[in-house]
Amino acid sequence: MTPAPFPVDVRAVRKTFRRKNGETVEALAGVSFAARARTLTALVGPDGGGKTTLLRILAGLTPADSGGVRVLGLDVAAAPQAVQARIGYMPQRFGLYEDLTVQQNLDLYADLHGVDGAAREQACARLLAMMALTPFTGRLAGKLSGGMKQKLGLACTLVRAPALLLLDEPTVGVDPLSRRELWEIVRRLVRDDALTAVVSTSYLDEAGFCDHTVALHRGVVLAEGAPGEIAAQAAGRVFLATPAAETNARALQARLFQSRDVADAVPEAGKVRVVARTPNAPENAPDTTFAAAQPRFEDGFMLLFDAVADGRAVQSVPAGRAGNAPGNAAPNPVEVRDLVRRFGDFTAVDHVSFQVRRGEIYGLLGPNGAGKSTTFRMLCGLLPASAGSLRVAGADLRRARAGAREKLGYVAQKFSLYGDLSVDENLDFFASAYGLRGHRKRARIAWAKEQFNLDAMASLPAGQLPGGYKQRLAMAAALLHEPEILFLDEATSGADPMARRAFWARIAALAEAGVTVIVTTHFMEEAEYCDRVLIMDGGVALAEGSPAEIRARALPGQDAPTMEAAFISIIETARKTGRAQA
Amino acid sequence: MTPLPSLRRVLALTRKESWQILRDPVSVAIGVAMPLLMLILFGYGLSFDIRHLPVAVVVEHASPESGGILAALRLSPYFRVHPATSMQEAERLMTAHEVNAIVRLPPHFSRDVALGDAALLVTVNATDANNARIALNYTRGAIAIWQQKELARRSASADSEATVVIENRMWFNEANDSTWFLVPGLIVLVMTLIGALLTSTVIAREWERGTFEALFATPVRPGEILASKTLPYFVMGMAGLALSVAGSRFLFGVPLRGSPWLLTLISSLYLLVTLGLGLTISSLTKSQFLANQIAFLSTFLPAFMLSGFMFDIRSMPLWLQGVTHVFPARYFVSSLQTLFLAGDVWPVLLPNMAVLAGMAALLMAMAGKTVRKRIE
């Protein structure tokens, strides 16, 4: 059998799902694409674009309604078992057996794929070394960090050297360091092992690593081509805007993002990267200097996407904390001094101190296991501190937790609303839980539904909301009682680029209205939206300051380094000098 | 082109499943601790036997005969005797719940005995009908024993021929120990717990934890997954059987009158039925909680209530008797009671085995149909 020139060949594939409430959703509406042998193809696009469905069809797990799917020269619909015997597929949640050790997981997949003898020993040793998991073979998979789990999942997928590798959003929830390592591994496999890989991602910067990209949106292919070709779409329309002296990048970004001339605007290294809808710089930004910039994949993609998107929902002033005079509140709503949290003899947070000012957006950054979430839980009064002082909204959290809780809103990393209650019922419940009654309760619920565009979904069970709406509802519920401080834990993890931009526009507007916002995030470019950030690793605070200060301090001499480069440099330097144990 | 079924994949999956069972304290508790606990609970605690039954004895005219009966009741471990001088006094004791039964010896009792025409009155508190029947039978038994002795004494002294024929029947358990009767039921409960309740979560768990998607994308076949889910739990169920039988034998001396091989065979059939049911439920619901609830309602409760283990099927209303035929536990309980207390009674065992085998085949086929490598 000669190897097929196109290991993946998809023609006019359609797939429709039926939701529980009877409505049908067209996940794929006639998708065609091909992946050339020994290349890395990225499926890029927002949530609900059909990426996962397409990969499941390729893996023979979901049958297509119509159209032709050939994988490695085989018809998937006719011979799914034969296809599965030759591919490696890593689903979004790989689903390791968490009660089995690293080695037992790997052995299971080796057995399932029929790899034994010397080949097996060699493959295991090589993969464990490649994933840097060799020291952890005896550890239970459930006790690994997020990044390590993904690497183990990849190792299980690769144990039989598949002819085709299918990866579904392999880097969701993975910190920047592990993300970089994962991509290096995949690229090396394609280069050195003659592998063909199809990877789905909603992180646009990752598409730049690939040979070929397929942009999926609402079940159709929006564009296809090499990353350079997609980038070229935005040629001559990308500008770097430098904010005037008295304003900052975030304010400028918020203003530009609402401009009719602008397809996309994101803060970048103290400036704002703008993709214009026409080849001219936007006009409604006086005192701002625009410099032409080299287009990147993201720019081209956002321009393509902008052409088909139906308007963007950005709130003007969502907070409405009118009755709260600024003088009433403490100048520093959050004050943390020498905060320590121990679990047994393990110190998760080790003497961390910081202050957050009123109306500030404050970011807690760090790799998986840095102690961000532990710090966060202590700030929200969900976990008692072992030592140190902790004042939130003027109340000492170690003494008066209930008093402080009334003044803070919390959006958890995991969707934590009631999936079987409707949007209205969830809002009603949370309003009551926060003690709202009568007229004020009705007014706040009406406000939340209007601000977050939830009216159209009001009667839908929360569990059936599309991803972006779930997050909106979670935020709406957290803001019902007009908290002074809003805590957001990895709120944008797994969200697509459009949802993330809308999310940050909302956060910025809240901060303008005087709400103090504390966020954790894995996306370093998102740190640019923060006024100040704290970088942690191994429970220790490594650096604090504005994004510009952090960049300048971490990589002096470099011209406008990215936040991600600065972050990786800070963590790696600290790990080398032993300030933080990995 | 399609890869053939592979024993090696089955073994790999079975090993994985076994590791998971061993690392899950709940599985181990249900598989090992549960049979032991139930054995001890049923053996020592839960029992239909009555001991120290408080009984008032009204002796209206003291005589050697009345003294003999009084002594017989006093010496029996089953009674605690409250002597009373009048019926009124005894009735007061009964209303105050101080005694559950009254034995009244009429004034001319010894004369009647001599005439061979004696009658005595036994009154029992029948609020709890079951207990009342047991109390009545025990009293009968005790008096019958006295009568036998009395007869033997007389025939020895007077050489006269026995004039009274004594019919001595222990209705509730001829072995005089309800443990013998409870052990078969215990085995049914243990097998149902392991077979249906434990396995009801194993497929749902893989759906909930998202482990199936990666597994499905390997060459593994649905039949292999099913086999790997059946094997470890089958072994566990048989171990539970061995533990229960050994425990009942050595702790309580319950005999096994039938063949151990037949016991193993019938238990295997029942275990396959419950495994098939548990796996089908698990695979259809895809939710651990729901699967567990359904398994509890559809297997454990019927095994307890409708199998003839606790309540005699023949004393149920006719429609309910019909319903019991749907549940496999009924056939298993009947087989076990026969095997333990009677022996290899083929006319009882064969039809039961046929029904169980049919159910096992049907449910395993159903489980096989529901496990499909599909994600919708």
Side-chain angles (χ1 to χ4, degrees), chain B residues 53-372:
Chain B
L53 177 81
V55 58
V57 181
V58 184
V59 183
E60 292 180 346
H61 175 78
S63 66
E65 284 75 20
S66 67
I69 287 191
L70 207 58
L73 291 174
R74 270 201 174 122
L75 290 173
S76 158
Y78 302 111
F79 301 100
R80 203 174 66 236
V81 174
H82 291 254
T85 47
S86 69
M87 200 57 195
Q88 286 94 325
E89 189 191 343
E91 276 166 16
R92 205 173 49 245
L93 286 170
M94 175 93 93
T95 9
H97 283 269
E98 282 179 30
V99 299
N100 283 341
I102 301 169
V103 178
R104 182 187 179 193
L105 306 176
H108 37 79
F109 181 65
S110 53
R111 191 196 68 202
D112 293 349
V113 170
L115 290 174
D117 185 26
L120 50 76
L121 176 71
V122 179
T123 315
V124 290
N125 178 354
T127 320
D128 180 338
N130 238 349
N131 263 346
R133 244 194 330 270
I134 297 169
L136 192 61
N137 281 317
Y138 279 13
T139 318
R140 267 196 199 144
I143 291 166
I145 288 168
W146 166 80
Q147 206 168 358
Q148 221 164 4
K149 282 183 185 152
E150 183 70 14
L151 226 83
R153 188 179 57 79
R154 280 195 206 175
S155 52
S157 61
D159 272 334
S160 64
E161 214 154 295
T163 49
V164 184
V165 179
I166 282 98
E167 230 178 299
N168 185 1
R169 288 187 285 182
M170 272 310 216
W171 283 95
F172 261 72
N173 59 77
E174 41 132 327
N176 214 9
D177 192 340
S178 63
T179 316
W180 287 24
F181 167 75
L182 285 172
V183 160
L186 169 72
I187 291 172
V188 177
L189 292 189
V190 169
M191 305 286 253
T192 310
L193 266 179
I194 295 173
L197 280 192
L198 268 192
T199 51
S200 71
T201 60
V202 294
I203 290 179
R205 185 171 60 202
E206 300 237 14
W207 280 112
E208 279 183 5
R209 295 188 186 166
T211 44
F212 255 168
E213 193 170 352
L215 198 66
F216 280 178
T218 70
V220 75
R221 299 165 142 263
E224 294 166 358
I225 295 180
L226 198 66
S228 75
K229 301 257 172 219
T230 310
L231 274 171
Y233 289 96
F234 186 82
V235 171
M236 208 159 145
M238 291 321 262
L241 171 76
L243 207 60
S244 315
V245 174
S248 58
R249 182 111 199 211
F250 297 117
L251 287 180
F252 308 110
V254 180
L256 173 61
R257 294 185 179 140
S259 138
W261 298 114
L262 210 49
L263 175 69
T264 313
L265 177 68
I266 293 178
S267 304
S268 307
L269 287 177
Y270 181 70
L271 198 52
L272 285 177
V273 174
T274 51
L275 284 169
L277 199 61
L279 291 173
T280 306
I281 292 169
S282 192
S283 175
L284 284 178
T285 58
K286 297 184 184 176
S287 142
Q288 291 193 65
F289 177 75
L290 195 61
N292 217 284
Q293 295 293 308
I294 294 178
F296 184 78
L297 287 175
S298 65
T299 62
F300 195 72
L301 276 191
F304 214 94
M305 322 273 285
L306 296 177
S307 64
F309 153 56
M310 271 282 170
F311 309 107
D312 190 7
I313 292 176
R314 277 160 302 183
S315 55
M316 292 175 186
L318 213 58
W319 65 269
L320 198 56
Q321 288 190 34
V323 169
T324 61
H325 286 277
V326 178
F327 298 104
R330 171 203 167 119
Y331 306 98
F332 192 39
V333 165
S334 139
S335 307
L336 286 181
Q337 285 176 343
T338 309
L339 274 175
F340 269 91
L341 300 176
D344 299 343
V345 184
W346 289 102
V348 179
L349 296 179
L350 268 183
N352 284 341
M353 277 162 73
V355 174
L356 286 176
M359 282 182 163
L362 185 78
L363 284 163
M364 275 295 166
M366 250 168 85
K369 275 258 182 288
T370 53
V371 179
R372 295 170 75 198

Side-chain angles (χ1 to χ4, degrees), chain A residues 437-471:
Chain A
R437 263 180 294 157
H439 172 70
R440 179 143 181 266
K441 176 173 163 181
R442 282 192 299 278
R444 287 306 294 170
I445 291 178
W447 168 86
K449 280 162 74 178
E450 193 214 320
Q451 285 304 327
F452 291 93
N453 295 322
L454 290 166
D455 273 313
M457 306 272 181
S459 61
L460 202 66
Q464 289 181 26
L465 289 175
Y469 278 92
K470 275 187 188 163
Q471 199 246 346

